[in-house]
Amino acid sequence: MVMDLYGIDLLHQIHSAYFPRYQLALERGYQQEGNRFFWLYDELHYRLQVLREAILFLNALPLFLQTPEAEKPYKYVIDFFTRYFNQDNIGRSEKQGDDDPYFGDSNQYWKDFMEAMDKFGDEQLLQNLPLFYVYSCEVVVRAIRLYFHIREGKCHAIDRQKFDALMHGGSSLPTSA
């Protein structure tokens, strides 16, 4: 089965959807800690930082793929995204296994991430560094989607009904903060 690829372009699209909302939040003074919408500014700012970091990481990754240590490229990618899923960033999971609303097969973002992880785990990828890079990008992109899905549910829902369209590259997204 061939996997649909989102690629770095999806991160750019999500960034492009959040940035005008962030600018509008700044114009409206939401960045002031006393403002009742400070949480929205803060979440937009944080997500933009995560996206920018992921884009920069993926742009820099090819420079680090040529290494005598065969496992090093895998480690770079896994270390990059696993830090988002620590307890400080997403809290504790209330449920385990299939009952977990975020890390179980009932969550499409989890299933998409696991699909990319299965491809990424193919030992033959390091024999083809461009293909390794493609699947490294896919793992990171899908990890960010999963992470934002968790933040949307546990921290601050800033996209509500538009979240799925945004995470799949939908273009008709709101620009209001």
Side-chain angles (χ1 to χ4, degrees):
M1 184 168 119
V2 176
M3 182 171 88
D4 289 332
L5 301 173
Y6 292 107
I8 297 176
D9 288 345
L10 181 60
L11 297 180
H12 286 286
Q13 289 173 21
I14 297 168
H15 187 278
S16 293
Y18 284 153
F19 193 72
R21 293 172 64 193
Y22 172 75
Q23 287 181 311
L24 191 56
L26 284 173
E27 289 171 17
R28 293 181 177 173
Y30 293 178
Q31 73 276 20
Q32 305 301 322
E33 284 211 33
N35 189 297
R36 69 181 201 165
F37 294 113
F38 176 76
W39 64 269
L40 177 60
Y41 158 81
D42 196 41
E43 187 67 16
L44 285 165
H45 183 260
Y46 178 73
R47 291 188 193 190
L48 284 168
Q49 285 181 310
V50 168
L51 289 164
R52 186 72 181 133
E53 183 181 52
I55 291 166
L56 289 170
F57 172 80
L58 292 173
N59 286 338
L61 185 61
L63 300 172
F64 298 92
L65 294 181
Q66 296 285 349
T67 176
E69 300 172 56
E71 295 300 314
K72 194 77 162 173
Y74 283 106
K75 185 172 175 13
Y76 289 139
V77 175
I78 297 211
D79 286 351
F80 176 79
F81 71 77
T82 55
R83 64 204 172 95
Y84 290 117
F85 297 98
N86 69 33
Q87 191 172 330
D88 291 340
N89 284 328
I90 61 172
R92 287 194 169 277
S93 183
E94 298 83 34
K95 300 178 181 181
Q96 301 296 319
D98 288 335
D99 290 338
D100 188 299
Y102 300 107
F103 300 106
D105 287 340
S106 62
N107 181 356
Q108 187 59 47
Y109 294 98
W110 170 254
K111 287 171 52 175
D112 287 352
F113 173 69
M114 293 310 295
E115 178 185 37
M117 283 298 291
D118 287 346
K119 294 280 190 185
F120 183 66
D122 182 349
E123 294 176 15
Q124 299 300 316
L125 277 183
L126 284 178
Q127 305 306 314
N128 184 338
L129 289 179
L131 196 56
F132 176 83
Y133 177 71
V134 167
Y135 285 103
S136 296
C137 291
E138 203 58 29
V139 165
V140 169
V141 167
R142 290 177 184 218
I144 297 296
R145 290 173 70 234
L146 174 61
Y147 179 56
F148 283 177
H149 175 70
I150 294 168
R151 289 192 66 82
E152 191 76 7
K154 283 185 156 190
C155 301
H156 294 294
I158 65 171
D159 296 312
R160 303 187 202 301
Q161 315 80 319
K162 306 287 187 192
F163 183 80
D164 288 332
L166 178 60
M167 293 300 130
H168 288 91
S171 58
S172 60
L173 298 165
T175 56
S176 64

